[in-house]
């Protein structure tokens, strides 16, 4: 079945599909990733600011890649390069994609959880193939959480603990039976149910059959994901610290995948289907990489730092990145926009950066934008009226995963 490769903000029509019923099905679903348009007497699906994979009823799939690469891609090598840096970004930001309403237990119990092992290095893999390989790699290292459960039985043999009160109550006239209690390990825990649900609804289990003990583990409805994840965090408190941290990394990864999936209007889950908001993911990736670039340079980094703007209505502002050292304060705004020159900067983005710089009394203000070039360096933005703050157009090289600072 043909795999369709498309990009943010591109358009899909029925002609792009081997099976026209797939296109009709997508029209019916009204997924957030698409905007339905009517042009030149035909329906079109306009891709919004998402990347990811959508499973189709025919068994095919749509792979959505970032718009930044669209004009550059002419052959398979460049598709592979795009997948490579997208995979690097996703590996770095899975934790940031978790819903913000999570309980504080993860922060209290699992400080600095270990990063998962690097994903497979074969960048010819599609995003769905890479995600499956990455998942099964984590699954192989996951130690299924098991807990004791008590079972009471009335049988013709004694096993475990004899319950005297129940024996007298139930077996007074049948002394050949024994009312007893046994304790067995049970696999059907909250953490394991999250993993099993992820396999069935996002990953698919055909390429890697589950061990027999997983057959007894159930799956859960979508509206119970939050409750189940909270229960899974509670279960981790009973495990040794290192094991709890490793399991937390994998369980939270599963939870992120489940929350990124969109079900059909009929509640159907097609594998693989997961969608990532690209501007949000890029912003989080930049934050992680800036932290790595400035580690050891005595900078404090805060993402989404709030500060009051007005008294009357309680309005606040929050720049994407606040970077402070003993002698310098840098405010940064991250935009998922192709901005190669000063002419590409929008007036609205400039107004926003000016406000941040003024309200925080910053020494420098950066407008961080993506680039495929490793040669494009930071450029100072000159104003007609001199400013106390120094402003810079700051490229972030996606293929290298770092800021292109100054020469």
């Amino acid at each position: 079945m043909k795999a369709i490769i498309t990009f943010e903000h591109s358009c899909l029509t029925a002609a792009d599909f081997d099976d026209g019923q797939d296109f009709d099905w997508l029209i019916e679903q009204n997924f957030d990733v698409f905007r339905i348009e009517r042009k030149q007497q035909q329906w079109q699906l306009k891709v919004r600011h998402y990347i990811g994979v959508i499973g189709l009823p025919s068994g095919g799939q749509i792979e959505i890649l970032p718009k930044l690469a669209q004009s550059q891609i002419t052959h398979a090598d460049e598709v592979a390069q795009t997948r490579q840096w997208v995979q690097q970004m996703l590996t770095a930001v899975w934790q940031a994609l978790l819903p913000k309403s999570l309980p504080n237990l993860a922060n209290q119990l699992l400080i600095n959880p270990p990063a998962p092992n690097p994903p497979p290095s074969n960048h010819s893999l599609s995003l769905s193939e890479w995600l499956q390989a990455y998942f099964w790699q984590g699954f192989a290292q996951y130690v299924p959480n098991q807990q004791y459960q008590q079972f009471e039985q009335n049988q013709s043999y004694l096993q475990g603990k004899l319950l005297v009160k129940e024996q007298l109550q139930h077996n007074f006239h049948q002394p050949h039976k024994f009312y007893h209690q046994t304790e067995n390990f049970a696999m059907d825990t909250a953490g394991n149910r999250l993993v099993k649900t992820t396999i069935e609804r996002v990953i698919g289990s055909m390429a890697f059959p589950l061990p027999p003990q997983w057959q007894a583990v159930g799956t859960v409805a979508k509206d119970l994901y939050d409750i189940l994840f909270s229960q899974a965090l509670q279960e981790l408190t009973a495990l040794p610290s290192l094991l709890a941290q490793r399991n937390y990394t994998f369980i939270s990864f599963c939870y992120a995948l489940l929350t990124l999936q969109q079900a059909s209007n009929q509640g159907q889950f097609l594998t693989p289907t997961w969608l990532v908001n690209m501007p949000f993911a890029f912003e989080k990736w930049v934050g992680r990489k800036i932290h790595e670039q400035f580690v050891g340079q005595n900078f404090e980094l805060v993402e989404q730092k709030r500060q009051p703007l007005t008294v009357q209505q309680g309005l606040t502002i929050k720049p994407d990145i606040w970077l402070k050292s003993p002698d310098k304060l840098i405010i940064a705004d991250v935009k998922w926009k192709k901005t190669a020159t000063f002419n590409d900067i929008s007036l609205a983005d400039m107004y926003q950066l000016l406000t941040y710089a003024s309200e925080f009394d910053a020494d420098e203000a950066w407008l961080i934008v993506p680039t495929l070039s490793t040669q494009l360096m930071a450029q100072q933005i000159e104003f007609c009226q001199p400013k106390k703050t120094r402003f810079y157009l700051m490229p972030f090289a996606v293929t290298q995963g770092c800021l292109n600072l100054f020469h």
Side-chain angles (χ1 to χ4, degrees), residues 7-8 28 30 34 44 54 68 74 76 85 91 166 202 207 219 283-284 363 406:
F7 300 87
E8 294 175 278
E28 293 173 0
N30 197 26
F34 296 120
Q44 295 183 350
I54 300 176
L68 188 65
T74 56
W85 67 259
T91 302
E166 288 79 2
V202 183
T219 58
E283 174 189 317
K284 295 302 179 183
D363 298 290
F406 313 98

Side-chain angles (χ1 to χ4, degrees), residues 77-284:
D77 288 344
E78 288 159 341
V79 171
Q81 184 186 57
T82 299
R83 287 169 172 166
Q84 178 178 358
W85 67 259
V86 169
Q87 292 164 14
Q88 293 173 352
M89 179 187 70
L90 292 176
T91 302
V93 303
W94 284 125
Q95 297 294 325
L97 297 177
L98 295 174
K100 296 180 180 180
S101 59
L102 291 178
N104 292 325
L105 178 61
N107 295 327
Q108 298 169 5
L109 170 71
L110 305 162
I111 300 174
N112 297 323
N117 288 335
S121 58
N122 183 359
H123 301 297
S124 63
L125 297 176
S126 68
L127 289 185
S128 63
E129 292 169 333
W130 168 79
L131 184 69
Q132 289 171 340
Y134 189 30
F135 176 89
W136 290 119
Q137 179 176 280
F139 182 83
Q141 300 171 359
Y142 173 69
V143 179
N145 185 23
Q146 303 179 70
Q147 61 188 15
Y148 275 114
Q149 289 188 356
Q150 294 182 342
F151 299 92
E152 294 183 2
Q153 294 176 296
N154 194 18
Q155 296 174 324
S156 58
Y157 59 89
L158 178 62
Q159 181 181 7
K161 176 183 177 182
L162 178 67
L163 301 178
V164 177
K165 179 180 177 181
E166 288 79 2
Q167 175 73 13
L168 294 174
Q169 179 181 351
H170 295 279
N171 294 335
F172 180 75
H173 297 295
Q174 44 183 7
H176 63 286
K177 285 194 173 184
F178 300 91
Y179 205 99
H180 58 95
Q181 181 185 84
T182 58
E183 291 184 340
N184 296 316
F185 272 122
M187 282 278 293
D188 200 25
T189 60
N192 294 342
R193 288 198 290 272
L194 267 179
V195 174
K196 181 72 172 291
T197 304
T198 305
I199 292 171
E200 293 201 358
R201 295 184 181 168
V202 183
I203 300 298
S205 58
M206 298 301 294
F208 194 96
L210 287 174
Q213 63 266 30
W214 281 87
Q215 302 307 315
V217 178
T219 58
V220 293
K222 187 174 183 178
D223 58 352
L224 297 178
Y225 290 165
D226 292 348
I227 296 174
L228 201 68
F229 187 70
S230 298
Q231 293 174 351
L233 293 182
Q234 292 288 345
E235 293 172 356
L236 294 177
T237 60
L239 299 178
S241 177
L242 290 178
L243 178 58
Q245 289 180 354
R246 187 166 69 240
N247 278 7
Y248 168 76
T249 299
F250 185 65
I251 288 173
S252 60
F253 169 62
C254 292
Y255 179 62
L257 287 181
L258 289 171
T259 57
L260 293 174
Q261 187 177 52
Q262 292 191 10
S264 69
N265 287 343
Q266 296 79 32
Q268 183 182 10
F269 294 93
L270 297 176
T271 57
T273 297
W274 51 277
L275 298 166
V276 175
N277 181 299
M278 186 61 200
F280 180 79
F282 178 69
E283 174 189 317
K284 295 302 179 183

